[in-house]
Amino acid sequence: MNFSWISSYWPLLVAGAVQTVLLLVISVVFGFILAIGLALAQIRGPRWLKWLARGYCTCLRGTPLLIQLWLLYYGVGSLLPLIPGLRSSFLWPVLREGFFFAAVSFTLNYAAYEAEVLRGALLAVPKGELEAGKSFGMSSWQLLRRIWLPRAIRIALPTIAGEIVLQLKATPLAFTVTVMDLYAVAYKVRQDTLLVYEPLLVVTVFYVFLTLLLTRAFKLVEAQVPVRR
Amino acid sequence: MSSTQSVLELLAPYPPGWGGVLLTGALSTVTISLGAYAFGILIGLVGALGKLTGSRPIVIGLDLYTTAVRAIPELILIVGLYYAGTDGINRLLLAAGLPPIEINGFVAAVAVLGIVQGAYMTEVLRGAILAIPVGQIEAAKAFGMRPWVRFRRIVLPALMPNALPGLANLWMSVTKDSALIAVVGYQELALATRLAAANTKHYFVFFLAAAFLYLGITLLSNMVFRALEFRFRRGQPKSA
């Protein structure tokens, strides 16, 4: 075991860790917002919206993330230059990057999985609590914001923690579209130094550490939720 | 898009089109998944029984295995196991004074994915066994059934309904995880697609086609698992 490479590669490792965390945060935050919409569409939407949301979830959960990522990066990416004027616009430097495509595909994928979790949680909120809110004269928007959604999120907290960990474990795929995330750094170290196991090991320790951190954080959040026993 | 080749020509099953390559890739994806799934169930059964009835060191070892596999990203596991496995076997051969061998990509893929599946299987099956009412197993013991007979006649049929949803999820995840094998260079659907796309420059068409193939596999599997669930739950009360 030889870890002397760390001394020269640590700035890259830190930069990779930042990219990994950034991808995770972006996909979880935006994915969650999208998931709320998808879940509500499946529960309360008009029929066409219901089917649309359900079809979206089925398609994104039924295909590998790697294919979705490549479809966006190589597929849509190859079509984008055909749009006139885009290449010279201010958006181009962003659209050229693998990071943009990774963030978008991870977000869309996370939303599909999270929507299913939220759908179940929204349906699990006791009817009486919603009726109580209604009888207080809350509008449906207020009801959603003050009772339905907060209660559903509390119910789903343990599952959400699990989904976020799964999302973290999916982020290394970004390396296949030239994102310099943590795994990509390990790959580069391997190519430079011909060490196979050491870089993988270091990176793995970081992922496991991040997982532990996430589960601990969620334990703390869950402890805030009042439970009647 | 160049208009020289239409989408239908691109996806045609015979050589100028790439449909055949994609279908072969899809077949290879399904075979790898089936192999890894079977291997995973085997590991899972042994692991679950080991966790439930094994001695302390066995339980600690199995805990380490399941925790490690579930905490480490799949891609890292697959790449790590792939290189560590092939490298390890060749080192063993070298130590024994034998020439190194080229490890079959299919076997390596099945083994690596199977080891990953096995960890999740262990937990699913352990939970399913724990959910069997103790009285049923005690009754079997009281009838004087030996452990193997007890397992075959009582435990296995009773754990199936409990384990099926988890088993279905794991099948879905192995069909999708098998795409990661493309990263270590074994040709299955994902890599075949990439090849076809890079050759023709029609990236969008081919990745969309691959997505539909994967979706087809998923939807078909859904139907199979629904039928299985119906069968294994026969005789159980309908509600809940």
Side-chain angles (χ1 to χ4, degrees):
Chain A
M1 286 281 152
N2 170 10
F3 289 100
S4 55
W5 52 272
I6 291 184
S7 56
S8 50
Y9 280 99
W10 70 265
L12 260 183
L13 282 171
V14 171
V18 170
Q19 293 269 298
T20 292
V21 172
L22 214 57
L23 271 176
L24 179 69
V25 171
I26 290 176
S27 59
V28 165
V29 169
F30 290 104
F32 196 82
I33 296 169
L34 191 55
I36 294 172
L38 283 167
L40 284 174
Q42 284 187 58
I43 295 173
R44 282 287 160 86
R47 182 172 291 182
W48 63 271
L49 200 61
K50 211 177 272 189
W51 282 104
L52 205 67
R54 196 164 298 166
Y56 174 89
C57 288
T58 309
C59 285
L60 273 100
R61 279 152 39 98
T63 52
L65 179 55
L66 189 66
I67 293 292
Q68 293 162 20
L69 180 62
W70 287 355
L71 178 63
L72 270 184
Y73 182 71
Y74 295 113
V76 176
S78 72
L79 298 183
L80 281 181
L82 301 178
I83 301 171
L86 192 66
R87 205 180 253 281
S88 51
S89 81
F90 67 98
L91 284 171
W92 188 245
V94 178
L95 291 177
R96 214 177 36 193
E97 291 288 330
F99 186 87
F100 170 78
F101 292 97
V104 170
S105 71
F106 289 178
T107 301
L108 295 179
N109 187 267
Y110 180 79
Y113 282 92
E114 198 57 52
E116 287 299 296
V117 173
L118 274 181
R119 190 172 63 93
L122 284 169
L123 289 174
V125 173
K127 238 194 180 120
E129 297 182 17
L130 297 178
E131 280 164 1
K134 245 182 241 170
S135 66
F136 269 106
M138 287 189 192
S139 68
S140 48
W141 169 242
Q142 280 176 325
L143 199 66
L144 176 71
R145 199 163 46 89
R146 292 192 187 161
I147 301 177
W148 209 14
L149 204 54
R151 279 288 276 137
I153 291 174
R154 283 176 177 186
I155 291 170
L157 264 181
T159 324
I160 293 174
E163 291 290 331
I164 292 178
V165 171
L166 286 182
Q167 188 64 22
L168 169 67
K169 298 201 313 172
T171 53
L173 290 184
F175 114 97
T176 60
V177 294
T178 71
V179 176
M180 269 313 258
D181 74 328
L182 200 55
Y183 178 77
V185 174
Y187 188 77
K188 184 180 159 44
V189 173
R190 196 179 97 202
Q191 282 186 323
D192 290 357
T193 62
L194 299 178
L195 294 168
V196 180
Y197 306 112
E198 291 87 342
L200 276 182
L201 219 60
V202 168
V203 166
T204 301
V205 168
F206 184 83
Y207 281 106
V208 172
F209 171 74
L210 216 57
T211 304
L212 289 178
L213 207 70
L214 277 172
T215 43
R216 282 301 292 270
F218 264 89
K219 281 249 168 67
L220 288 179
V221 176
E222 270 173 59
Q224 305 296 311
V225 177
V227 184
R228 199 175 59 183
R229 290 193 194 281
Chain B
M1 284 262 148
S2 65
S3 51
T4 46
Q5 279 172 301
S6 73
V7 172
L8 275 179
E9 275 175 63
L10 282 171
L11 292 174
Y14 39 83
W18 288 82
V21 177
L22 290 198
L23 285 177
T24 321
L27 200 66
S28 151
T29 285
V30 173
T31 344
I32 289 178
S33 303
L34 281 174
Y37 196 63
F39 188 39
I41 286 183
L42 206 67
I43 297 179
L45 267 179
V46 174
L49 293 175
K51 267 197 175 182
L52 290 173
T53 58
S55 60
R56 226 179 129 63
I58 293 181
V59 173
I60 291 175
L62 284 170
D63 268 338
L64 202 67
Y65 161 60
T66 52
T67 319
V69 168
R70 294 190 304 164
I72 300 171
E74 271 80 3
L75 185 69
I76 291 187
L77 271 176
I78 285 166
V79 170
L81 285 173
Y82 193 86
Y83 289 112
T86 48
D87 192 47
I89 287 172
N90 276 335
R91 276 192 195 176
L92 278 181
L93 286 175
L94 201 71
L98 295 165
I101 51 163
E102 186 70 30
I103 288 169
N104 184 320
F106 177 78
V107 174
V110 166
V112 166
L113 286 173
I115 290 171
V116 176
Q117 281 276 302
Y120 291 91
M121 284 287 185
T122 301
E123 292 303 311
V124 166
L125 293 175
R126 191 180 64 98
I129 292 174
L130 278 178
I132 299 172
V134 188
Q136 295 188 5
I137 293 170
E138 283 170 350
K141 277 185 193 161
F143 269 106
M145 286 190 194
R146 285 157 193 279
W148 170 242
V149 178
R150 202 161 67 220
F151 178 77
R152 196 163 45 89
R153 290 198 192 154
I154 311 291
V155 176
L156 201 59
L159 78 80
M160 274 320 271
N162 301 332
L164 254 181
L167 291 180
N169 277 344
L170 284 178
W171 168 253
M172 299 302 165
S173 82
V174 76
T175 53
K176 285 181 278 164
D177 276 355
S178 69
L180 300 182
I181 289 294
V183 176
V184 289
Y186 185 73
Q187 178 142 352
E188 36 65 72
L189 183 49
L191 197 65
T193 311
R194 206 175 159 168
L195 215 70
N199 264 301
T200 56
K201 304 288 171 214
H202 287 274
Y203 289 99
F204 192 75
V205 174
F206 282 110
F207 283 120
L208 203 62
F212 273 111
L213 280 174
Y214 275 110
L215 194 61
I217 295 173
T218 303
L219 295 180
L220 201 70
S221 316
N222 265 340
M223 280 160 59
V224 171
F225 274 103
R226 208 164 297 155
L228 278 178
E229 179 134 10
F230 184 74
R231 171 160 175 81
F232 279 112
R233 283 204 185 278
R234 70 200 188 280
Q236 284 194 352
K238 277 282 182 296
S239 67

